[in-house]
């Protein structure tokens, strides 16, 4: 199989422009501006000198910049490989929680075991339909919305959804792509059930299996998985370990030909479907989010996974469903688009469980066999222990904020994304009394092979605003606070535009660092400086992942003392998924959510008091900047979707209902008062 951590094909962007290379001067100036207020005076003085030396005429910075310019000429995307390796492949942390995000579906109402299998068969049917579109390259091109609206976006990431695999390595992983005429297209999926793995062919004798056949095969798999004497150890646990440990375990497995064959079948499959056992009585949003991220560890469904595969569809017998994705081949936006297609397919096309002519002729699915030496058993015990610790460590809090949503923010002539980012800065400042390096992913898909750059949301303007909002001395008047809020939002908006047009600083600094390494010159002082290390410690890692179907995204923090904060703005409410680690004495997700809610209410009150002062010329900006992080398609103005509590839909159809705004509003008002009370007492939602 060809490897994808090389530069992708020249024509992959289909006529899109190449990613620009910012000027060295602009990046160094912006770097100092981004860091000054996050450093001590002493640290900043040192950094200023180091940066001046790096950017001096005829200095090392200019040399590296000229080499990057050459690289830009010769590559489809000058930063792609550097970024992929730095962000994912060189990272040695375990994939669950630390790297792999999850989409959490509304809780499904399965009344009998067969219902979850019907749901799975229907979902697999949707996957095969979507794969047909991908294979025909018939997926409509995404176009940017808002700022620079109408720009076509690079579609390459979609074509890796079902054809790639992250192979662990001792020092660096490899993203493997099955784009080869030699290798046959994968025509099977892997079904995980009771920690056992089964090969289920989805194309037999050149015919795609219909839903009835898929259901029959799933029923056979469940029967086979229940057989106690056939049961094999939970090999999937090994994939939940650190990448170097898993690479070592994999090489141990590879000594046996039986294991090599099993690994080959998993590595070449379309995707995984994980049929999970029930996880326990309490299935709140927060619990479902945690279960999607780590499976509940070895005691629950933690071994019923294979984390190297990009798409794992999880279907729990208790209705706990969602998707876990390996992040290196694609961004969250692609995961959302694919998942929304599948859920809409399931709502829009009734389950086709017609009686097939002759079900009996279907060959039985095959159980994957493993030869487990005492050494493998020892490795499994070690992986299980580490996963158990990770499960205990994750502190997750999913909060649905019902006091207002993006419609209220738009009425203030502000960008909802920028507004929420400022609210996150206010929450962090309230909790910790300082601001820290913040990561907000910004899509650069306007360019060939574009992935993301970083919006540095902890701006000097945000700091001025949060200080004014938390200063107990009442020295700042409301009008002044409102000006500061607008200043913070404008600064956020400006940086967002820089990032989505390829002019932000993080990718550029990474490129300069990596090209120095390639040229085998001593690491420049700027990259050894304390400020650079601080700038890359993303204690607050954030992402906007909006959806038009009722579901939400979640992920873990990227540093031990950090927060992961994912948000999904809807017209009348906002869903926040906040994560941190219990082992860090500095962080607490419930406390962060409490401060976030307080800040959102304070910002609303401020806007209401000063509402008459909003400037009409800013109206356009608010509309155009509604989207620009990972949002690239028009999800912004859809009807809010919430599930009614008494749902009567068929179990095979996902319980995702579309409501009229009036119905939704009536329901929200009943929720708000009780939720407000709960928050005053600091309780989790």
């Amino acid at each position: 199989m060809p490897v994808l951590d090389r530069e992708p094909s020249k024509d992959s962007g289909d006529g899109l422009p190449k990613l620009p290379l910012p000027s060295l001067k602009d990046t160094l100036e912006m770097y100092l501006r981004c860091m000054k207020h996050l450093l001590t005076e002493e640290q900043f003085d040192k950094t200023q000198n180091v940066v001046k030396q790096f950017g001096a005429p005829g200095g090392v910075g200019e040399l590296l910049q000229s080499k990057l310019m050459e690289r830009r000429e010769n590559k489809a995307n000058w930063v792609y490989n550097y970024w992929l390796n730095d962000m994912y492949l060189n990272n040695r942390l375990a994939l669950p929680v630390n790297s792999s995000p999850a989409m959490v579906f509304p809780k499904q109402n399965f009344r009998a075991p067969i219902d979850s299998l019907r749901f799975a068969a229907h979902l697999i049917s949707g996957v095969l339909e979507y794969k047909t579109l991908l294979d025909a390259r018939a997926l409509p091109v995404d176009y940017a919305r808002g700022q620079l609206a109408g720009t076509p976006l690079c579609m390459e990431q979609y074509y890796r959804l079902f054809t790639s695999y992250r192979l662990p390595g001792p020092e660096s992983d490899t993203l493997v792509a099955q784009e080869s005429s030699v290798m046959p297209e994968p025509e099977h999926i892997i079904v995980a059930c009771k920690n056992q793995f089964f090969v289920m062919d989805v194309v037999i004798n050149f015919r795609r299996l219909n839903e009835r056949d898929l259901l029959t095969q799933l029923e056979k798999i469940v029967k086979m998985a229940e057989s106690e004497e056939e049961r094999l150890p939970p090999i999937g646990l090994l994939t939940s370990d650190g990448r170097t440990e898993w690479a070592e375990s994999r090489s141990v497995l590879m000594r046996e030909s039986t294991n090599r064959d099993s690994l080959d079948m998993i590595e070449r499959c379309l995707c995984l479907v994980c049929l999970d056992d029930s996880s326990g009585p309490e299935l709140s949003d927060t619990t479902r989010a945690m279960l999607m991220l780590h499976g509940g560890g070895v005691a629950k469904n933690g071994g019923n996974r294979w984390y190297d595969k990009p798409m794992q569809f999880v279907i729990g017998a208790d209705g706990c469903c969602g998707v876990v994705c390996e992040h290196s081949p694609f961004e969250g936006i692609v995961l959302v688009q694919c998942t929304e297609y599948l859920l809409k397919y399931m709502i829009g096309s009734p389950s086709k469980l017609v009686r097939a002519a002759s079900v009996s002729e279907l060959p039985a699915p095959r159980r994957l066999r493993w030869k487990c030496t005492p050494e493998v058993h020892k490795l499994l015990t070690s992986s299980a222990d580490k996963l158990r610790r990770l499960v205990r460590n994750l502190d997750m809090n999913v909060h649905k904020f019902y006091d207002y949503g993006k419609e209220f923010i738009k009425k203030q002539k502000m960008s909802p994304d920028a507004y929420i980012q400022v609210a996150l800065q206010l929450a962090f400042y309230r909790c910790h009394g300082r601001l820290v390096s913040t990561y907000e992913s910004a899509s650069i898909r306007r360019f060939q092979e574009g992935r993301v750059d970083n919006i540095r949301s902890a701006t000097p303007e945000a700091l001025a605003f949060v200080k004014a909002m938390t200063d107990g001395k009442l020295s700042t008047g409301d009008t002044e606070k409102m000006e500061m809020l607008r200043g913070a939002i404008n600064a956020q908006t400006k940086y967002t535009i820089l990032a989505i047009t390829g002019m932000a600083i993080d990718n550029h600094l990474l490129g300069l660092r990596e090209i120095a390494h390639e040229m085998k010159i001593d690491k420049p002082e700027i990259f050894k400086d304390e400020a650079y290390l601080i700038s890359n410690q993303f204690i607050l890692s954030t992402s906007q992942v909006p959806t038009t179907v009722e579901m939400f995204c979640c992920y873990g923090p990227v540093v031990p003392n950090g927060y992961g904060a994912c948000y999904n703005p809807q017209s009348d409410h906002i869903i926040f998924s906040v994560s941190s680690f219990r082992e860090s004495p500095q962080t607490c997700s419930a406390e962060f959510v409490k401060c976030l809610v307080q800040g959102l209410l304070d910002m609303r009150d401020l806007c209401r008091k000063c509402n008459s002062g909003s400037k009409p010329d800013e109206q356009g900006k608010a509309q155009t900047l509604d989207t620009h992080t990972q949002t690239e398609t028009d999800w912004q103005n859809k009807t809010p979707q919430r599930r009614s509590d008494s749902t009567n839909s068929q179990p095979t159809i996902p319980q995702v209902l579309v409501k009229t705004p009036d119905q939704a509003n009536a329901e929200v008002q009943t929720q708000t008062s009780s939720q407000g009370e709960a928050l005053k007492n600091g309780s989790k939602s």
Side-chain angles (χ1 to χ4, degrees):
M1 289 187 218
V3 164
L4 232 187
D5 60 344
R6 53 162 169 72
E7 202 62 34
S9 61
K10 284 277 183 169
D11 62 344
S12 59
D14 288 338
L16 292 176
K18 280 187 175 189
L19 181 68
L21 182 66
S23 82
L24 183 65
K25 182 174 172 288
D26 287 352
T27 290
L28 296 180
E29 279 174 9
M30 181 58 81
Y31 173 55
L32 289 174
R33 181 178 149 70
C34 286
M35 293 309 295
K36 184 175 182 177
H37 56 294
L38 304 180
L39 301 171
T40 64
E41 218 171 305
E42 196 184 331
Q43 284 171 329
F44 184 70
D45 287 345
K46 182 182 176 230
T47 299
Q48 222 173 354
N49 290 329
V50 166
V51 167
K52 193 175 173 186
Q53 183 196 345
F54 182 75
V60 71
E62 286 192 353
L63 169 69
L64 298 176
Q65 178 77 352
S66 69
K67 291 290 177 192
L68 273 186
M69 285 163 92
E70 280 174 31
R71 183 180 169 89
R72 184 179 180 270
E73 287 305 305
N74 300 324
K75 301 274 186 188
N77 184 312
W78 62 268
V79 83
Y80 179 84
N81 271 354
Y82 291 161
W83 176 89
L84 183 66
N85 288 319
D86 182 69
M87 183 68 102
Y88 296 114
L89 304 183
N90 295 343
N91 193 331
R92 303 289 81 203
L93 292 175
L95 296 184
V97 178
N98 300 304
S99 176
S100 297
M103 290 301 307
V104 184
F105 295 173
K107 184 179 177 305
Q108 300 301 308
N109 184 18
F110 300 140
R111 292 182 178 85
I114 190 73
D115 289 344
S116 62
L117 298 186
R118 283 197 181 113
F119 183 93
H122 204 175
L123 185 74
I124 295 165
S125 245
V127 167
L128 300 179
E129 196 81 9
Y130 194 70
K131 179 78 168 58
T132 305
L133 280 179
L134 289 172
D135 291 345
R137 293 250 155 183
L139 211 56
V141 171
D142 290 342
Y143 285 87
R145 301 280 165 178
Q147 189 70 18
L148 313 180
T151 317
L153 302 173
C154 179
M155 297 296 286
E156 273 309 294
Q157 295 176 38
Y158 285 96
Y159 299 101
R160 299 200 276 265
L161 276 163
F162 300 108
T163 56
S164 54
Y165 184 79
R166 180 162 167 175
L167 195 64
E171 285 162 21
S172 180
D173 291 359
T174 304
L175 183 56
V176 177
Q178 292 152 344
E179 292 163 10
S180 151
S181 48
V182 188
M183 296 298 294
E185 271 288 304
E187 293 188 327
H188 67 278
I189 63 171
I190 295 290
V191 177
C193 184
K194 297 196 183 297
N195 303 331
Q196 310 293 291
F197 297 97
F198 299 88
V199 178
M200 184 166 120
D201 291 314
V202 289
V203 176
I204 294 177
N205 297 333
F206 307 101
R207 180 178 73 84
R208 204 174 93 187
L209 263 57
N210 62 30
E211 219 170 294
R212 158 58 59 192
D213 292 344
L214 292 169
L215 179 60
T216 302
Q217 298 294 70
L218 290 169
E219 287 178 291
K220 288 181 195 168
I221 284 171
V222 169
K223 261 208 181 69
M224 289 162 77
E226 276 162 1
S227 142
E228 291 284 346
E229 59 277 10
E230 290 277 322
R231 212 167 280 175
L232 297 159
I235 296 293
L237 282 174
L238 298 174
T239 70
S240 75
D241 210 327
R243 302 307 291 169
T244 299
E245 292 85 341
W246 164 221
E248 286 163 7
S249 302
R250 187 179 177 278
S251 60
V252 172
L253 286 173
M254 290 286 282
R255 292 174 199 156
E256 296 284 351
S257 65
T258 305
N259 299 341
R260 285 200 294 275
D261 293 345
S262 293
L263 287 166
D264 180 60
M265 289 312 287
I266 295 174
E267 289 164 16
R268 284 192 301 110
C269 74
L270 274 174
C271 63
L272 253 84
V273 170
C274 309
L275 302 176
D276 277 9
D277 289 340
S278 292
S279 295
E282 200 255 340
L283 282 183
S284 64
D285 290 341
T286 296
T287 305
R288 296 201 322 284
M290 291 194 287
L291 290 170
M292 275 311 126
L293 288 173
H294 53 51
V298 69
K300 292 185 178 169
N301 297 291
N304 211 40
R305 302 281 183 274
W306 198 272
Y307 282 102
D308 297 352
K309 204 64 204 164
M311 298 291 275
Q312 300 193 82
F313 297 97
V314 176
I315 296 144
D318 50 11
C320 183
C321 302
V323 195
V324 189
C325 95
E326 197 290 293
H327 212 336
S328 65
F330 48 80
E331 301 315 325
I333 187 81
V334 171
L335 172 67
V336 171
Q337 290 282 66
C338 169
T339 308
E340 292 206 340
Y341 175 94
L342 297 175
L343 289 181
K344 286 171 183 171
Y345 167 88
M346 291 168 79
I347 296 163
S349 67
S351 193
K352 300 183 191 72
L353 290 170
V354 289
R355 269 278 156 216
S358 48
V359 171
S360 56
E361 72 194 38
L362 285 176
R366 307 188 294 293
R367 182 195 299 264
L368 290 181
R369 303 282 169 190
W370 304 102
K371 263 215 172 109
C372 291
T373 58
E375 189 179 359
V376 171
H377 281 286
K378 210 168 141 188
L379 293 166
L380 277 167
T381 305
S382 165
S383 296
D385 286 347
K386 278 183 253 180
L387 183 60
R388 212 175 276 120
R389 182 178 158 185
L390 188 60
V391 169
R392 278 201 307 266
N393 199 4
L394 180 64
D395 176 9
M396 188 88 210
N397 193 312
V398 177
H399 180 79
K400 289 183 176 167
F401 177 80
Y402 282 120
D403 287 270
Y404 59 92
K406 65 177 183 224
E407 287 311 313
F408 169 80
I409 304 169
K410 285 182 181 178
K411 281 184 185 140
Q412 312 311 309
K413 322 287 186 274
M414 293 170 181
S415 146
D417 184 65
Y419 181 102
I420 295 168
Q421 282 292 326
V422 172
L424 288 166
Q425 294 300 317
L426 178 53
F428 192 92
Y429 192 83
R430 274 224 165 100
C431 281
H432 301 282
R434 64 184 182 124
L435 292 191
V436 289
S437 295
T438 302
Y439 183 96
E440 182 192 1
S441 48
S443 173
I444 47 172
R445 284 175 60 212
R446 286 168 173 75
F447 306 103
Q448 285 178 46
E449 282 301 317
R451 292 290 298 264
V452 295
D453 204 338
N454 176 22
I455 302 167
R456 289 188 165 265
S457 308
T459 61
E461 292 83 355
L463 181 59
F465 170 69
V466 303
K467 276 182 170 171
M469 290 297 279
T470 52
D471 176 15
K473 295 192 214 69
L474 302 172
S475 52
T476 318
D478 288 340
T479 314
E480 206 180 330
K481 283 179 185 169
M482 192 65 198
E483 275 174 22
M484 287 173 161
L485 173 57
R486 289 201 180 276
I489 284 174
N490 289 341
Q492 178 70 14
T493 294
K494 274 190 185 142
Y495 203 107
T496 298
I497 295 170
L498 280 180
I500 63 175
T501 54
M503 303 305 281
I505 65 170
D506 282 63
N507 282 349
H508 190 192
L509 290 169
L510 172 69
L512 293 164
R513 187 189 83 195
E514 289 305 300
I515 208 139
H517 181 69
E518 268 177 25
M519 292 166 72
K520 297 190 168 47
I521 62 178
D522 283 347
K523 187 187 266 194
E525 202 55 45
I526 187 173
F527 302 120
K528 294 192 279 193
D529 181 37
E530 196 178 5
Y532 184 71
L533 303 177
I534 292 169
S535 79
N536 281 293
Q537 279 287 304
F538 294 113
I539 291 173
L540 190 51
S541 172
T542 73
S543 186
Q544 173 182 231
V545 184
T547 65
T548 63
V549 171
E550 193 204 342
M551 57 178 170
F552 63 89
C553 181
C554 58
Y555 51 79
V558 297
V559 291
N561 60 333
Y563 294 97
C566 188
Y567 53 98
N568 179 350
Q570 298 293 310
S571 56
D572 60 353
H573 66 284
I574 308 166
I575 306 168
F576 291 97
S577 307
V578 174
S579 61
S580 62
F581 290 122
R582 295 185 193 281
E583 284 175 14
S584 165
Q586 295 149 28
T587 56
C588 169
S589 298
E591 197 55 39
F592 187 91
V593 165
K594 196 172 145 187
C595 292
L596 178 60
V597 169
Q598 184 61 55
L600 286 164
L601 295 175
D602 291 348
M603 285 165 71
R604 178 197 64 186
D605 294 347
L606 181 66
C607 288
R608 280 183 176 162
K609 282 183 208 162
C610 305
N611 206 6
S612 54
S614 61
K615 303 183 186 86
D617 65 318
E618 286 177 354
Q619 185 147 14
K621 287 184 196 170
Q623 301 306 323
T624 53
L625 282 161
D626 195 7
T627 66
H628 280 310
T629 53
Q630 285 289 353
T631 326
E632 292 291 12
T633 34
D634 189 13
W635 294 332
Q636 301 314 98
N637 301 310
K638 301 280 167 55
T639 311
Q641 283 139 352
R642 309 241 339 271
R643 180 167 60 90
S644 70
D645 291 334
S646 54
T647 226
N648 299 317
S649 53
Q650 289 299 308
T652 48
I653 295 179
Q655 280 119 28
V656 181
L657 303 182
V658 178
K659 293 195 165 181
T660 65
D662 293 346
Q663 277 176 298
N665 288 338
E667 215 179 297
V668 169
Q669 273 141 26
T670 58
Q671 292 252 359
T672 310
S673 55
S674 58
Q675 204 139 1
E677 283 307 311
L679 279 163
K680 281 178 204 159
N681 303 321
S683 61
K684 283 193 185 186
S685 65

